Amino acid sequence: MPAKGAHVDVIVGGGVVGLSVAWRMARSGRPVTVVDPAPGRGASYAAAGMLAPVSEVTFTEAPLLRLGVASLRRWPAFAAELAADAGLTPDAPPGQNAGPGFADVRALDLRADGTLDVAFGADDLEALGELAAYMEKLGLPVERLTGRECRRLEPMLAPSVRGGLLAPGDAWVDPRRVTAALLSALERRGVPVVRARASELLRDGDRVSGVRLAPPESEDGTGGEVRGDRVVLAAGAWSSGLAEVPVRPVKGQIMRLRSPQPLLSRCVRGAVHGSSVYLVPRGDGELVVGATQEEMGFDTKVTAGGLYELLRDARELVPGVTELEVADVVAGLRPGTPDNLPLIGPSGTPGLVYATGHHRGGVLLAPLTTAMLLGDLPGEESELAALCAPGRFS
Ligand SMILES: Cc1cc2nc3c(=O)[nH]c(=O)nc-3n(C[C@H](O)[C@H](O)[C@H](O)COP(=O)(O)OP(=O)(O)OC[C@H]3O[C@@H](n4cnc5c(N)ncnc54)[C@H](O)[C@@H]3O)c2cc1C
């Protein structure tokens, strides 16, 4: 554990955000220590891994779109460097087409075959049409398709799918592979990962100077401390337990199905009478079906109602899903903020930096987050940092 006063960044939280920050800092030669009782098991474990800024755009979230597009651009190099640093072989399974401009990073199941957003009912088609017009106005590369054209791309779609919208530049990745690779890369670089919960921030006067560790549950007394000259708070939905950040948990239930033959060749999202669902195919035959959005505090129970809704809607779009084996069901907590944008940068308290509040897009936004914290935003992108400035809520 670093000695008091060592020039170390202490990263609190080892989800996709904290581990990415730790890895990029370590790569740039900065000593770091990660503190997390269960790295990689937070929201990042539940996430579908869509890198889909275009198909996820909503009428009120144009700033988020800018962040997402900038981060997606970084993903190919980020993934290629991570795979190399983690010692993953280039042809490790699985991945099919990493797409134009994308490094073929099969080990992380990074794929860029686009997202197909489909509509089921007449009302859904109308809503999709309005969204398409908005996307076209923003100059986003999308293609309107008839129901027949959708089925030509994805033959397993239901005959009742009425039309769709293809976002050919969207991508996706397997977040579980990403966090595992980040942990390997950190280990290979000798970065300490302290498997304990930070119970509070330590202060020297006004300055945050490390974290106190909660003792293991079996022990009484103190669990020790980790000192550093900066603390990066990356504890996802739990960040507000350590500092005054406007971050709340937003529950998402999601399931993984196992498919002997791939049912889909790209991400399919859909609205079924106003209720939305997505299906993400993995290279190893898994099909991820997600996700609910629930304001339930820190509850992570998987409920019959949540799974029913997902399967009901997924079956309307792709009837074959009901034949598949259920491999895994899980509920994760997205770190939501009042404006759905993350908090990245100095907190206002000396020694404390935020990398939290990534809500629905932490996997997508991980590369951009690291670039912001390392001051690596060239040209026009430097404006993006202001969108994420923690001071906007004070
Ligand atoms: C169902 C679902 C689907 C999603 N799909 C997508 C998607 O397709 N694309 C996308 O980009 N995003 C998606 N997300 C959102 C994404 O998962 C999150 O934005 C992202 O995981 C946030 O990463 P994080 O590292 O901030 O948080 P987390 O992954 O939650 O990690 C936080 C870490 O902090 C640790 N921690 C907590 N408290 C402490 C403490 N006191 N001391 C030390 N460590 C602590 C936890 O153990 C955990 O490991 C989805 C989320 C859910 C729930």
Side-chain angles (χ1 to χ4, degrees):
M1 217 164 281
K4 183 170 179 169
H7 294 290
V8 170
D9 281 318
V10 180
I11 317 293
V12 179
V16 69
V17 172
L19 294 176
S20 297
V21 169
W23 169 59
R24 293 310 269 199
M25 283 184 171
R27 256 180 85 92
S28 74
R30 257 195 101 88
V32 286
T33 296
V34 177
V35 176
D36 191 321
R41 299 291 298 198
S44 308
Y45 187 75
M50 285 181 295
L51 311 176
V54 171
S55 59
E56 290 214 341
V57 74
T58 66
F59 294 107
T60 54
E61 289 181 317
L64 188 58
L65 169 73
R66 290 179 65 201
L67 298 177
V69 168
S71 202
L72 177 58
R73 225 179 282 132
R74 287 175 158 76
W75 252 103
F78 184 88
E81 287 164 15
L82 174 58
D85 248 25
L88 301 173
T89 52
D91 58 353
Q96 287 177 355
N97 167 24
F102 264 68
D104 190 358
V105 189
R106 291 164 188 237
L108 303 177
D109 208 1
L110 176 68
R111 294 170 62 185
D113 303 88
T115 305
L116 180 60
D117 207 340
V118 298
F120 178 76
D123 45 348
D124 303 321
L125 191 62
E126 196 184 322
L128 197 62
E130 283 166 18
L131 190 62
Y134 175 65
M135 289 170 161
E136 285 157 2
K137 202 168 123 205
L138 293 176
L140 297 174
V142 288
E143 234 175 280
R144 296 183 195 230
L145 302 177
T146 62
R148 183 171 298 181
E149 286 167 332
C150 291
R151 277 184 294 281
R152 207 171 294 139
L153 286 181
E154 294 294 346
M156 300 308 283
L157 283 173
S160 43
V161 164
R162 293 182 177 224
L165 195 60
L166 180 67
D170 280 357
W172 67 99
V173 71
D174 183 342
R176 294 182 183 177
R177 286 174 190 263
V178 173
T179 49
L182 285 164
L183 282 166
S184 303
L186 291 175
E187 193 182 345
R188 285 161 62 103
R189 286 185 175 269
V191 171
V193 177
V194 179
R195 304 213 177 219
R197 187 174 65 82
S199 57
E200 63 175 310
L201 300 176
L202 297 170
R203 291 169 198 268
D204 281 339
D206 285 350
R207 194 177 177 82
V208 169
S209 58
V211 291
R212 192 178 311 288
L213 302 178
E217 269 165 25
S218 54
E219 284 179 23
D220 292 335
T222 171
E225 52 190 46
V226 180
R227 295 264 176 185
D229 58 359
R230 246 179 16 157
V231 169
V232 179
L233 182 59
W238 298 270
S239 298
S240 59
L242 288 165
E244 279 190 25
V245 278
V247 174
R248 68 181 199 286
V250 181
K251 178 178 174 181
Q253 302 188 49
I254 191 162
M255 69 177 80
R256 284 162 172 79
L257 306 175
R258 199 168 290 130
S259 171
Q261 303 295 327
L263 280 191
L264 298 173
S265 57
R266 58 178 57 69
C267 273
V268 170
R269 308 170 60 90
V272 181
H273 300 311
S275 156
S276 52
V277 67
Y278 56 74
L279 301 99
V280 180
R282 299 253 183 265
D284 60 5
E286 225 174 53
L287 185 69
V288 182
V289 180
T292 65
Q293 288 214 51
E294 304 163 66
E295 301 281 350
M296 298 286 292
F298 286 93
D299 169 58
T300 51
K301 282 195 282 293
V302 174
T303 63
L307 298 186
Y308 166 72
E309 271 175 38
L310 293 177
L311 276 178
R312 178 196 64 198
D313 296 343
R315 190 186 64 164
E316 294 287 7
L317 299 178
V318 182
V321 293
T322 50
E323 306 296 321
L324 306 184
E325 182 188 350
V326 177
D328 181 30
V329 291
V330 64
L333 299 174
R334 305 174 185 91
T337 62
D339 60 5
N340 294 343
L341 297 173
L343 294 138
I344 305 168
S347 66
T349 301
L352 180 63
V353 172
Y354 293 153
T356 185
H358 291 73
H359 197 207
R360 308 189 311 261
V363 183
L364 169 62
L365 297 176
L368 184 72
T369 302
T370 66
M372 278 186 188
L373 289 183
L374 288 166
D376 185 20
L377 291 184
E380 283 181 7
E381 284 194 346
S382 58
E383 292 167 19
L384 298 178
L387 298 174
C388 308
R392 70 187 187 276
F393 293 118
S394 54

